[in-house]
Amino acid sequence: MPDTFCARDERWAGEARSAVLYAAVLFALLLGIDALTGQLAPWRVVSWAGLGAALGLVLLPARVGATADRLTARGLWRERSVRTDRLVAVRCVDGVAHRLVLRDDLGGRVEIDPAVLVANPPLWRLLDEAARVSVERGLLLCGGTALRRLARQVDGELARTVFQVSGLR
């Protein structure tokens, strides 16, 4: 991502390392099992390497960055961005993985894990301030509840961190 971002997901590097580590561990375990059972063959090594690589790609998180008026999520194959000062819809999608879907009036759409915003208050602050501009302009008609719920999560996590750092917890 360019250096022009005001805030970015500070946990991304650690999560990317974890994805690679899990992929390597799966590959090593499968190779070890094959070696112990005497079934180690070149085609199996290639298959296990492919399986490990697939796991690493699935687990690799998107890089999230923000400026005062834009939120960008950069995945492995493409980058998506949304104008946060021109949001028309924000919704939480609950399922196996919680997702926050943001859409702007220019057709931009970004889907991110809300935990990224909870863990990175500077990212949240930029999104929240720009979303308020969208509300003032009358653009954001769907998503106020999702943003308020997310704001409570960010505030709660920030309060827990302050208490923990100050020794009150």
Side-chain angles (χ1 to χ4, degrees):
M1 291 187 153
D3 290 309
T4 58
F5 283 102
C6 299
R8 65 182 69 230
D9 182 5
E10 298 298 328
R11 301 178 320 157
W12 183 85
E15 290 182 5
R17 276 191 300 275
S18 294
V20 170
L21 179 66
Y22 290 138
V25 166
L26 176 66
F27 176 62
L29 284 173
L30 292 171
L31 280 183
I33 290 169
D34 271 1
L36 289 173
T37 60
Q39 296 178 348
L40 193 58
W43 68 271
R44 291 177 71 94
V45 172
V46 171
S47 297
W48 298 148
L51 188 61
L55 177 67
L57 292 176
V58 167
L59 294 178
L60 188 67
R63 287 184 182 199
V64 178
T67 62
D69 64 351
R70 185 170 297 279
L71 183 82
T72 303
R74 184 171 157 199
L76 191 60
W77 309 120
R78 66 178 149 184
E79 181 175 297
R80 290 186 176 228
S81 112
V82 68
R83 287 285 306 262
T84 50
D85 61 340
R86 301 184 64 89
L87 291 173
V88 293
V90 176
R91 64 186 172 95
C92 283
V93 178
D94 294 328
V96 174
H98 295 286
R99 309 304 291 163
L100 185 68
V101 180
L102 305 147
R103 287 187 322 125
D104 65 20
D105 66 344
L106 303 171
R109 181 179 184 274
V110 170
E111 196 172 315
I112 63 170
D113 183 357
V116 170
L117 297 172
V118 172
N120 295 280
L123 271 174
W124 163 250
R125 187 177 60 251
L126 288 171
L127 172 61
D128 185 45
E129 289 170 2
R132 290 175 196 266
V133 171
S134 295
V135 170
E136 290 170 5
R137 291 179 178 167
L139 295 172
L140 184 61
L141 302 174
C142 173
T145 305
L147 288 174
R148 282 190 296 276
R149 187 175 352 147
L150 193 54
R152 283 193 302 272
Q153 288 178 344
V154 171
D155 291 343
E157 186 61 33
L158 194 55
R160 277 189 286 283
T161 302
V162 167
F163 286 141
Q164 188 173 11
V165 169
S166 65
L168 296 174
R169 183 176 177 198

